[in-house]
Amino acid sequence: MIDSPEKILEQYWGFTQFRSPQKEIISSVLESKDTIALLPTGGGKSICFQIPTLLKEGVCIVISPLIALMQDQVKNLKKRNIKALTIPSGSNQNDIITLFDQVKFGKVKFLYLSPERLQAPLIQQKIKELNVSLVAIDEAHCISEWGHDFRPSYRTIQILKEILPTVNFIALTATANKRVLEDISKNLAMSNPALFQKSFFRENLAYQVFKIEDKLTRLIEIFTKTKVPAIVYVNSRKKTAEIANFLNANNFKSTFYHAGLTVLEKQTAFEDWMSEKKPIIVATNAFGMGIDKPNVGLVIHYNLPSSIENYVQEAGRAGRNEKKSFAVLFYNENDLFLQKQRAVNSIPTLLEIKEVHRKLYQYFRIANGELLDEVFSFNFFEFCEHYHFHQLKTDVVLKLLANYGIVALENSFNKKATLIVTGSPHSVLHFSKNNSTLKNFVNILLRTYGGLFENEIKIDEFFIAKKVGITAAQVIKNLKILEAQDLVEYKQVNSDLSLSFLVPREDDKTINRFSREIKQFLSLKKEKTTNFINFITNNTRCRSEQLLSYFDEKMIRSCGICDVCIAHKRIPAKNVASQIQAVLEKKKQLSSSEISSLLNIFEKDILIHLQILLEEDQIIINNQNKFQLKVSL
């Protein structure tokens, strides 16, 4: 029998020693102490509860907020021949009873549950029947209304203290300040918990923030100089493919990743990147879970993340091998404007929350005081269109209603309708010529989705409606007319969500019960946007100092390697103007970023001297928006 954490670590994970403070955390858990572990991204949090569980008899119950995160951890444990289970979506009562029997009699070591599952009496009863050795709460900051991802359902985890009074808890998070840590301890009813906190300071990670207009050119410059595995984070699915294609066109092997890809597409992209067949991956923030690649040398934020917490988590995927690495962020004035606008557009008022909540009941014809034990198919876009609601705000409202236990949502946003043209090009053309009302619709449809004659293509009826200038309902009607003529095969997805109501209809009274918490949550969202913008625009204080201060940590000295520290250390370049003229004489015409790269001088200094040379009539800007020497006549 294996009897030490080190032997377990070597047998299952192939490492011979722990990172600080993993060993101390494991010892605390093995001594049956309630424990809180704050380890930055890449700090190896999972090992802190997985190794003690493997040394103990019984099962560890792991509470985690995301289905995908749970599935990912279960898959990784199974790869190591460690038995782990989670309850699949859509499981009925018999499925759940069978699964708990597997846990009870099948030597399963880890059972992953969402906090919402804990509210079910059946789950609570089944947990009482298990031999539970430990309760681990992953992403524990979700329990605090001061955390960046507050989920009221996390407050229900405390029920496990009543069900399992002798079992110790470990709470784990990568992002929490002092106030959040206190909230975690209080809301989990922890008994004098041992706190282990690793500094957020990453000595080997250079944070570099650049205010630039031409982001694509800067990407080329960076990847020309830096030949390391890299992640480029962008803010839309469309951009992942566009920028990966741009990099490939410039001979940088790249792939892309987002939540809308198929399982096979995700797996291929991930494996190509992991094997470094394609060392650059362009991704949305959906790319993050399960990344265990220590030699990532560069993380670029092409667009702005939503908060400091998200930025630190994503940037922290670079340099896990302790070698010098770079976290680069691009921004310009338009990015700042859009970030502020997005914050305004996505944060509803209390009145707007009450309005959406009331209309939900009206939409499904539920009377005051009534509670229907029914699951409704819910088309999000149709609902927004019907009541003229702003989609971003409505999405936030729905999540809030779910978080506060007012409704339950089963998300299926990624499901898409599909379409393939089954008629010949001639028959489609003939039909559209003879049907003037559908001619424009057919033309736009064929222009919008290439390959409809060859392949079954995913389509978005709401997007088509916007392009044609009709309603989504009319788009569906038109597609069904085409299908009736045997010209297309249309597979409609009837709903984006399944929705059920958890409380009787009381309209404003329901929202008023949570109004204080909701106001605080919305205020915090605005504050986080402001904090992040302040961070990227503060060019006078060391980036690491700013980040540590945000997480209530003091830094004795500056990092020395961020863009701010380098600017402070740098001796001003001499004769910059004459150097610019010399390089223009040789190269004929160059952009400011190209001059900056060739002379190895900061672009903001180059721009100052270019302005002086323009005023002195020494250089001109040509019709390609590049600088060149003025030719004397």
Side-chain angles (χ1 to χ4, degrees), residues 186-300:
K186 177 186 167 187
N187 287 299
L188 288 175
M190 285 182 152
S191 174
N192 193 25
L195 173 62
F196 297 90
Q197 191 168 350
K198 188 173 181 179
S199 173
F200 280 90
F201 180 49
R202 295 282 303 277
E203 192 172 5
N204 64 312
L205 185 57
Y207 296 103
Q208 298 190 339
V209 177
F210 297 119
K211 186 177 182 181
I212 53 171
E213 293 300 327
D214 190 353
K215 296 181 182 182
L216 291 173
T217 299
R218 184 57 63 91
L219 276 184
I220 297 300
E221 290 169 2
I222 289 172
F223 286 123
T224 300
K225 290 179 183 176
T226 311
K227 308 293 183 185
V228 291
I231 306 170
V232 180
Y233 279 111
V234 296
N235 64 0
S236 75
R237 294 177 181 183
K238 188 180 177 185
K239 275 187 194 166
T240 61
E242 286 177 350
I243 292 177
N245 291 337
F246 170 79
L247 290 169
N248 284 319
N250 284 276
N251 300 314
F252 300 105
K253 292 178 180 175
S254 314
T255 186
F256 63 93
Y257 186 104
H258 59 72
L261 298 177
T262 65
V263 173
L264 181 61
E265 286 169 336
K266 285 178 185 174
Q267 190 178 339
T268 303
F270 184 72
E271 287 172 1
D272 283 351
W273 180 70
M274 286 293 286
S275 66
E276 294 174 31
K277 180 181 174 184
K278 295 179 179 178
I280 303 167
I281 191 162
V282 186
T284 61
N285 60 9
F287 186 68
M289 292 180 300
I291 295 176
D292 188 16
K293 188 169 175 60
N295 68 331
V296 176
L298 175 64
V299 170
I300 296 176

Side-chain angles (χ1 to χ4, degrees), residues 494-511:
N494 291 320
S495 69
D496 304 297
L497 297 162
S498 59
L499 181 144
S500 49
F501 295 91
L502 303 178
V503 296
R505 179 177 177 180
E506 292 183 291
D507 290 347
D508 291 359
K509 280 185 184 178
T510 304
I511 304 301

